[in-house]
Amino acid sequence: MLSAEVPLSHLGPSVLLLLQLLLPPTSAFFPNIWSLLAAPGSITHQDLTEEAALNVTLQLFLEQPPPNQPPLRLEDYLGRTLLADDLFAAYFGPGFPSRRFRAALGEVSRANAAQDFLPTSRNDPDLHFDAERLSQGRTRLMGALQETLVAARALDHTLARQRLGAALHALQDFYSHSNWVELGEQQPHPYLLWPRQELWSLAQVGNPTCSDCEELSCPGNLLGFTLLTSGYFGTHPPKPPGKCSHGGHFDQSSSQPPRGGINKDSTSPGFSPHHMMHLQAAKLALLASIQAFSLLRSRLGDSGFSRLLDITPASSLSFVLDTTGSMGEEINAAKIQARHIMEQRQGSPMEPVHYILVPFHDPEFGPVFTTSDPHSFWQRLNEIHALGGGDEPEMCLSALELALLHTPPLSDIFVFTDASPKDAFLTNRVESLSQERRCRVTFLVTEDPSRVQGRARREVLSPVRFEPYEAVALASGGEVIFTKDQHIRDVAAIVGESMAALVTLPLEPPVIVPGKPLVFIVDGLLQKVTVRMHGEISSFWIKNPTGIFQSQEEGMGPLGHTHRFGQFWMVTMTDPPQTGTWEIQVTAEGTPRVRVQAQTSLDFLFHFGIPMEDGPHPGLYPLTQPVAGLQTQLLVEVIGLGSRGNPGDSPPHFSHVILRRVPEGTKLGQVPLEPLGPPERGVLTASLPPTLLSTPGPFSLELIGQDGGGQGLHRITPQPCTVAPVLLELSGPPGFLAPGSKALLTLRITSFSVPQDLDIRISVNPNFAFTSNLSRAHLGLNESAWGCLWLEVPDSAALDSMVMVTVTALDREVSLMPPTHAFLRLLVLAQTLQDQLSASSGPVVTTTTPVFHSSTLVTQGRARGGKAGRPWWGTVGGVLLLLTLASW
């Protein structure tokens, strides 16, 4: 219940506030859900970010009723915890997963948390509103929001989410690190997101702000004044006499008089001297976060905002096309499939929201074409024709790298070619980038890999020339399908199939062993099970759990329908498939490929991290991949926990995860999964000991559990994971790149397993000049090497463009040791930012009179100079807030 002693006033120009408050007894501002181990019951940066995004998403759904679904009703969500799965099921319909949306929120949340860990941001007072640098902090906050807008409008949503996470971190820190709450303020600062108005009543250097406090808890250490201040942290900058510290065990400045501090970051007085006021700080930080999301929505529009947070169950459509003269049939097949997808899915929830096209031949590749308009994409695709060239090889991997840089995460990329790659030296980098982007790459190759004479008879071709494609497909979870011109249109139909919400089912064994069947398990949450095979197959059979067989005859059989296109076979099982253990037996020359996929609403996301428990902000430092010899934490986020095989069943659950070497399938180990946080969020964690990840190389994660009826559940990662030999950290400037400037990037390399002698290679896309002081690193066990990279941005650099910096560490002696890559996205902006976030007039001021009704607080008021605008939603502790705002 909300007591009368803690009223919540208007949020900016609010005219209506409806709040049902069911807060936990404590809340905090630690980085992410892992921080709950240090401060149980806390509200973290991750909580604030995700709850604010869910509320603005609900607002969007309420204002834009679904075309083929009943409209959402506000009363259905009052007093309920908002969950992405529930919102998607209500808006798009049952069976449409929230996987992409939750992955986008994860990107924002991890970028938010990383501000406390990255060497370029963790000690910068401007990025945390520390050390009374409040005006500077507001400037950096607005700069990050500006970069978010520019990147989103350029359709670089990964970079936009990274900058949004940084902006939200600073915004939320203001309410925990300053004395805004202690001044008795009960609404977010009206000018913090208003760059045309100066912040008022700031404490100056000569104004004492704190008295000495020798206890952990310091409720009365602020002096009696009405000036805005914030605490100093550490030794940079040094704390002047009489000033407040941030406080906590790890703040060196808090031992200097006046001792103590004022931060409200956590539930623990050992970390936060003003822990008793974290509840009020969390409220205001949440409302301010909703304000920031709503501001972005108003500037981007509903479509742009939906793309920013991937508020869709649909995948992107991304093509990489060989345009040499022999590619006429393949280009036509791509056009037919693209047209079919656009026509079939137009107006449906599965209509693609991003379209990417990258042409290539020899010696050129690109330019990349990206759009959210299907008609523009079709027009550009229709302009492509097979012209010129004809000799093998081609610049395929360069074009694929360009596509990966511009394709949203969790997407499928389809490569159409009849040539091997001329740029095979990019193989390892493209493999790593595909895993970093979590994109699956499928190659459709109209070429016989055994042919050794070039198309133009200019060179002898290697029989293993397609191995780079095989390596990229394996690393990304895709496949290489060899076919012929006469079959390419039929085989290309897998483009549409793969863009559905498919999961790949694990096979045991994962590769064909002569005379031994492949086994897979079908559970009651799977539908549209499809078996795909390609190779020199002479016969096969499939057996379901009841013993019914189906062989290779084409057409309808007892288990489903079989299609054959040359060496490519596809068997689509009749729904609903029999649950239990299925078998496949294949007889073939060579090594045929077998893949089993199905549609399901039950899936999972995952990421890795290093527990950081010995600093001022305990949490999980996010990693894209585990590192050899380093204690690593696996975090799993289950999608579709509301899925039920039968009405009345209990929710599905996963109990443990199995790690297998890829592609052999050798079992590396098994670790239990433990719930973390509220069970309805579906977050599980597993500790991966260094002995389990001692050898660099690819591995898969297989989640094992049971559905509500006791039936076994198996889910596997779409792409293999890779154990990196070293930890490679690349950090850039916290702001933007300006034409004609130099930017300093920092690099750190650490080995936790064995001594390393490494070559360091750097590439920049586009090709900006750079200098570096680190080209080689010799590391002992647990040793680090630091380096700097100076990036020169030319005067001619395109404004609002993305720059990708890639650093590669290669072992000089062990050729089998995989290289480690680090990727950093940066944005080029004009030197003088135009304030696109400002409106033409000043902020609206509101006066309020609170009226209480049971557990609901209604605040009424009048907006001066404006009228009530769209409703605005928010939650505290996962419960709904409804705020109607006047126009900005």
Side-chain angles (χ1 to χ4, degrees):
M1 300 297 177
L2 185 67
S3 67
E5 288 75 24
V6 192
L8 182 60
S9 183
H10 67 285
L11 173 58
S14 63
V15 294
L16 173 67
L17 172 60
L18 172 61
L19 170 63
Q20 288 198 324
L21 188 63
L22 295 175
L23 278 172
T26 57
S27 57
F29 283 82
F30 278 173
N32 47 36
I33 195 168
W34 186 256
S35 310
L36 297 175
L37 300 180
S42 298
I43 293 176
T44 66
H45 278 292
Q46 179 179 353
D47 296 325
L48 296 170
T49 299
E50 294 180 356
E51 289 180 7
L54 284 170
N55 279 274
V56 179
T57 300
L58 174 58
Q59 176 198 359
L60 189 152
F61 285 175
L62 288 167
E63 294 176 4
Q64 302 289 338
N68 300 311
Q69 289 285 117
L72 276 66
R73 302 186 309 163
L74 171 62
E75 53 267 30
D76 292 338
Y77 297 92
L78 292 175
R80 284 179 50 190
T81 298
L82 291 182
L83 298 173
D85 288 349
D86 292 346
L87 291 180
F88 266 57
Y91 191 77
F92 296 109
F96 288 103
S98 64
R99 185 170 184 259
R100 303 180 63 82
F101 175 54
R102 291 175 68 172
L105 289 188
E107 286 187 78
V108 178
S109 296
R110 287 191 292 277
N112 185 327
Q115 293 295 101
D116 280 334
F117 303 124
L118 294 175
T120 54
S121 60
R122 64 189 178 199
N123 295 321
D124 188 338
D126 295 359
L127 300 180
H128 304 276
F129 283 98
D130 289 335
E132 295 188 321
R133 296 183 63 82
L134 302 174
S135 294
Q136 297 91 331
R138 198 266 295 271
T139 298
R140 298 285 281 274
L141 164 62
M142 297 309 300
L145 284 175
Q146 170 71 23
E147 294 163 25
T148 302
L149 276 176
V150 173
R153 287 168 176 163
L155 301 184
D156 189 346
H157 294 103
T158 293
L159 182 55
R161 292 165 197 154
Q162 291 171 354
R163 301 311 299 144
L164 176 56
L168 291 172
H169 186 100
L171 180 64
Q172 293 157 7
D173 270 356
F174 172 83
Y175 297 97
S176 180
H177 294 184
S178 77
N179 66 329
W180 181 256
V181 172
E182 287 87 343
L183 288 174
E185 300 291 348
Q186 298 170 8
Q187 57 182 312
H189 196 299
Y191 297 130
L192 203 57
L193 295 177
W194 194 263
R196 292 186 179 181
Q197 177 69 43
E198 292 294 327
L199 301 180
W200 72 84
S201 301
L202 301 183
Q204 303 302 308
V205 174
N207 299 131
T209 55
C210 267
S211 61
D212 191 58
C213 173
E214 60 182 355
E215 305 296 333
L216 293 178
S217 183
C218 300
N221 62 334
L222 277 164
L223 299 178
F225 60 90
T226 58
L227 301 177
L228 189 61
T229 185
S230 65
Y232 285 74
F233 183 84
T235 59
H236 177 74
K239 183 175 72 171
K243 290 297 185 180
C244 300
S245 290
H246 177 87
H249 289 313
F250 295 94
D251 178 12
Q252 297 179 40
S253 78
S254 65
S255 62
Q256 305 166 12
R259 293 169 295 177
I262 63 170
N263 90 74
K264 298 158 284 293
D265 279 345
S266 80
T267 61
S268 167
F271 287 103
S272 303
H274 279 204
H275 61 95
M276 75 294 298
M277 304 194 77
H278 63 275
L279 184 62
Q280 295 94 319
K283 282 187 214 170
L284 298 189
L286 177 58
L287 295 176
S289 300
I290 296 171
Q291 187 178 27
F293 275 114
S294 296
L295 190 56
L296 288 172
R297 182 187 169 197
S298 70
R299 294 297 181 262
L300 293 171
D302 288 345
S303 296
F305 183 76
S306 295
R307 289 191 292 269
L308 171 63
L309 294 184
D310 238 342
I311 307 175
T312 174
S315 179
S316 303
L317 183 59
S318 187
F319 282 171
V320 178
L321 283 180
D322 185 343
T323 60
T324 49
S326 58
M327 285 290 295
E329 283 295 327
E330 292 85 343
I331 293 173
N332 286 336
K335 292 178 179 179
I336 290 171
Q337 281 305 310
R339 193 68 178 176
H340 176 71
I341 289 167
M342 287 187 287
E343 291 177 349
Q344 185 183 52
R345 302 187 182 187
Q346 185 176 10
S348 77
M350 298 305 291
E351 180 179 7
V353 292
H354 299 278
Y355 299 86
I356 301 94
L357 176 62
V358 184
F360 72 93
H361 53 88
D362 183 21
E364 298 177 354
F365 60 92
V368 62
F369 177 75
T370 63
T371 183
S372 57
D373 179 16
H375 302 293
S376 298
F377 176 75
W378 171 249
Q379 182 178 0
R380 180 61 63 93
L381 181 61
N382 213 31
E383 292 171 354
I384 290 181
H385 302 282
L387 298 172
D391 58 306
E392 190 176 359
E394 307 288 354
M395 300 293 287
C396 181
L397 295 186
S398 297
L400 176 56
E401 182 180 39
L402 195 58
L404 282 164
L405 292 178
H406 292 86
T407 299
L410 303 177
S411 296
D412 281 281
I413 299 177
F414 301 94
V415 182
F416 291 78
T417 186
D418 62 356
S420 55
K422 186 177 185 178
D423 43 9
F425 64 91
L426 291 174
T427 301
N428 287 330
R429 196 163 84 195
V430 172
E431 287 180 70
S432 184
L433 185 58
S434 70
Q435 292 185 337
E436 192 260 352
R437 304 291 290 159
R438 303 277 173 96
C439 285
R440 184 168 50 193
V441 182
T442 298
F443 295 87
L444 301 173
V445 184
T446 49
E447 171 65 291
D448 181 357
S450 64
R451 186 173 64 86
V452 295
Q453 191 65 43
R455 287 177 290 187
R457 299 184 179 276
R458 291 170 54 180
E459 59 179 309
V460 175
L461 301 175
S462 167
V464 296
R465 64 191 183 279
F466 292 104
E467 283 191 355
Y469 296 165
E470 302 282 2
V472 171
L474 176 65
S476 69
E479 54 189 324
V480 181
I481 300 174
F482 293 99
T483 186
K484 298 186 181 299
D485 283 350
Q486 61 265 37
H487 301 303
I488 184 60
R489 294 192 183 186
D490 294 318
V491 174
I494 70 167
V495 174
E497 296 292 332
S498 295
M499 288 181 62
L502 296 180
V503 295
T504 299
L505 305 186
L507 296 172
E508 177 60 39
V511 293
I512 289 181
V513 177
K516 185 175 182 179
L518 302 173
V519 174
F520 65 97
I521 295 176
V522 173
D523 58 71
L525 302 178
L526 299 175
Q527 59 182 347
K528 297 185 179 178
V529 177
T530 302
V531 178
R532 298 210 307 244
M533 298 168 281
H534 54 97
E536 298 183 40
I537 297 172
S538 56
S539 65
F540 69 85
W541 54 256
I542 302 173
K543 184 174 70 171
N544 78 356
T546 64
I548 299 176
F549 282 81
Q550 179 164 322
S551 57
Q552 71 272 13
E553 286 78 12
E554 291 190 72
M556 195 65 197
L559 299 179
H561 195 279
T562 300
H563 299 268
R564 180 185 180 183
F565 313 111
Q567 294 186 348
F568 182 79
W569 300 78
M570 185 163 61
V571 184
T572 304
M573 304 303 170
T574 303
D575 276 334
Q578 179 69 45
T579 59
T581 301
W582 291 60
E583 294 182 2
I584 307 172
Q585 179 74 61
V586 180
T587 303
E589 295 291 330
T591 306
R593 319 290 177 81
V594 179
R595 172 172 295 214
V596 182
Q597 293 182 307
Q599 289 189 19
T600 182
S601 56
L602 183 70
D603 200 359
F604 69 98
L605 299 166
F606 70 96
H607 69 275
F608 302 98
I610 306 171
M612 306 290 285
E613 300 170 350
D614 57 350
H617 299 100
L620 199 68
Y621 179 26
L623 297 175
T624 56
Q625 56 189 6
V627 178
L630 186 61
Q631 178 74 39
T632 303
Q633 206 69 26
L634 168 68
L635 255 67
V636 171
E637 189 174 353
V638 180
I639 310 294
L641 269 180
S643 305
R644 302 288 191 275
N646 297 294
D649 282 354
S650 57
H653 72 278
F654 292 100
S655 57
H656 59 279
V657 60
I658 296 175
L659 284 72
R660 297 186 186 275
R661 181 66 67 198
V662 173
E664 305 87 352
T666 307
K667 185 175 178 180
L668 297 174
Q670 174 178 313
V671 291
L673 288 166
E674 301 292 340
L676 184 62
E680 63 270 15
R681 294 182 65 173
V683 178
L684 308 171
T685 182
S687 181
L688 307 180
T691 54
L692 195 59
L693 303 173
S694 58
T695 305
F699 65 94
S700 65
L701 295 172
E702 184 178 337
L703 267 63
I704 308 297
Q706 290 185 333
D707 64 17
Q711 180 74 42
L713 289 174
H714 288 229
R715 295 292 186 270
I716 194 171
T717 48
Q719 299 90 16
C721 311
T722 299
V723 179
V726 294
L727 177 62
L728 185 56
E729 298 171 282
L730 177 62
S731 301
F736 54 88
L737 304 178
S741 67
K742 262 191 175 182
L744 174 63
L745 282 63
T746 59
L747 175 67
R748 183 173 71 170
I749 311 169
T750 310
S751 176
F752 297 95
S753 55
V754 296
Q756 304 271 1
D757 191 11
L758 303 169
D759 278 331
I760 310 301
R761 300 178 184 175
I762 300 168
S763 68
V764 181
N765 186 355
N767 192 23
F768 291 176
F770 64 87
T771 56
S772 174
N773 63 359
L774 187 65
S775 60
R776 183 175 178 179
H778 184 77
L779 303 175
L781 181 61
N782 295 324
E783 285 187 351
S784 295
W786 289 81
C788 292
L789 170 66
W790 291 268
L791 183 65
E792 299 181 20
V793 186
D795 293 330
S796 58
L799 298 180
D800 303 346
S801 63
M802 185 265 290
V803 177
M804 173 67 86
V805 180
T806 305
V807 176
T808 304
L810 300 117
D811 195 288
R812 295 172 59 90
E813 299 177 357
V814 184
S815 59
L816 296 179
M817 188 78 73
T820 304
H821 301 274
F823 304 96
L824 181 65
R825 305 169 85 92
L826 300 166
L827 185 66
V828 178
L829 288 180
Q831 186 84 41
T832 303
L833 289 176
Q834 296 298 319
D835 181 19
Q836 299 182 18
L837 289 170
S838 297
S840 58
S841 60
V844 180
V845 179
T846 305
T847 59
T848 62
T849 303
V851 182
F852 295 88
H853 300 283
S854 183
S855 62
T856 302
L857 168 65
V858 181
T859 304
Q860 299 175 324
R862 296 290 298 173
R864 189 178 69 193
K867 61 182 180 179
R870 65 174 68 178
W872 192 17
W873 317 96
T875 68
V876 178
V879 183
L880 184 69
L881 288 166
L882 163 59
L883 300 125
T884 302
L885 299 184
S887 302
W888 274 70

